[in-house]
Amino acid sequence: MPVTPHENDVLLGKGHFVNKYPGNVRFRRIADEQKPHYVAAKKRKDKRDAAVRVMEAIRSCKPPGRFLADSSGSKISVLSDGVWEVAEPEKALQKVLHRLRDNKGKGDWG
């Protein structure tokens, strides 16, 4: 079912628009705060728990943030043209885990 993104939503995709979207900026900040816990985790379950904490932080915003995927099939996601749907939980979790694995972001994580 199509939804209209709001400022706390995290848009799955690539490009300048998605990168600068307020919910994505917040998402990167929250993920970067959890990154030391992810890096220190030895077990896969503990790494996954760090990702779940990021997802819970997004969902605890007012209004609650959602992870949205552009279902229009467009390579370029533009808010006014995109058709956004709530992403499957596993797809959202993979987005968070990717950010936590990524070498970009604040700090030297080793």
Side-chain angles (χ1 to χ4, degrees):
M1 174 195 280
V3 297
T4 301
H6 59 69
E7 71 276 2
N8 293 329
D9 288 332
V10 177
L11 307 180
L12 308 185
K14 296 180 181 180
H16 182 75
F17 172 78
V18 169
N19 191 43
K20 297 296 182 188
Y21 193 74
N24 289 54
V25 172
R26 180 179 298 106
F27 162 70
R28 288 192 303 274
R29 180 183 50 77
I30 292 168
D32 289 347
E33 290 169 0
Q34 284 297 319
K35 193 158 191 165
H37 302 286
Y38 177 86
V39 171
K42 302 296 182 210
K43 297 179 183 174
R44 179 178 278 170
K45 179 195 177 304
D46 296 333
K47 291 182 181 290
R48 199 170 175 91
D49 288 346
V52 169
R53 285 192 296 274
V54 172
M55 294 175 73
E56 288 170 349
I58 295 296
R59 291 181 182 135
S60 71
C61 294
K62 301 289 185 229
R66 305 165 292 183
F67 288 82
L68 303 180
D70 181 358
S71 63
S72 69
S74 171
K75 296 273 186 201
I76 301 172
S77 298
V78 178
L79 186 60
S80 60
D81 294 339
V83 178
W84 297 96
E85 294 181 342
V86 176
E88 294 292 326
E90 187 61 28
K91 186 173 183 177
L93 181 65
Q94 292 306 315
K95 163 89 172 175
V96 176
L97 287 167
H98 183 266
R99 177 62 190 187
L100 292 171
R101 281 191 308 268
D102 196 352
N103 288 329
K104 298 175 188 168
K106 290 182 1 180
D108 181 14
W109 311 114

